[in-house]
Amino acid sequence: VQLQASGGGLVQAGGSLRLSCAGSGITLAYYAIGWFRQAPGKGREGVSMIHTSDGVAMYAHSVKGRFTVSRDDAKNTVSLQMNSLKPEDTAVYFCAVTHRNSAATTASLYDYWGQGTLVTVSS
């Protein structure tokens, strides 16, 4: 099982990035997908997650209205569209999967994790 997050980079405040999470050896349609981030010197923070089957999405308060999570089960990918980026969004972003829609953004309830992708937002 592999999850590969991509799409990170350097962007100015107010800009946008689109992260993708691709699965190999795993069918993402059977899983809820979470996005997490970890800023330098800080703990891992849940950013967003999207349910399997019903596609219900949830967001951390800090990103609500700016970030949008979506899934394309036909392509076995999940995306995180990040708009109006702020310097405090700077972090390594990870995608992870869980069988449990109820996991929300509780990191310990996720089964597989991908390598992160670095997002840097300059002021």
Side-chain angles (χ1 to χ4, degrees):
V1 173
Q2 281 192 324
L3 297 172
Q4 182 63 54
S6 61
L10 174 63
V11 64
Q12 287 189 330
S16 298
L17 283 173
R18 186 176 182 87
L19 304 184
S20 292
C21 177
S24 60
I26 183 172
T27 302
L28 296 184
Y30 300 149
Y31 293 85
I33 313 297
W35 284 97
F36 297 81
R37 67 186 181 186
Q38 188 162 15
K42 295 188 177 181
R44 192 164 291 188
E45 175 192 15
V47 173
S48 179
M49 73 96 69
I50 185 166
H51 287 183
T52 184
S53 67
D54 60 14
V56 171
M58 60 183 301
Y59 302 92
H61 178 74
S62 58
V63 307
K64 200 167 187 178
R66 300 188 297 122
F67 290 12
T68 303
V69 63
S70 60
R71 61 192 305 154
D72 188 336
D73 291 336
K75 294 182 178 179
N76 212 32
T77 60
V78 175
S79 297
L80 184 69
Q81 178 67 41
M82 306 188 298
N83 299 327
S84 303
L85 283 162
K86 304 175 181 180
E88 51 264 43
D89 294 318
T90 294
V92 177
Y93 284 71
F94 303 86
C95 59
V97 301
T98 175
H99 279 294
R100 292 162 281 198
N101 285 336
S102 60
T105 52
T106 302
S108 61
L109 297 180
Y110 281 73
D111 303 305
Y112 301 106
W113 290 79
Q115 300 291 331
T117 185
L118 176 62
V119 172
T120 304
V121 184
S122 63
S123 57

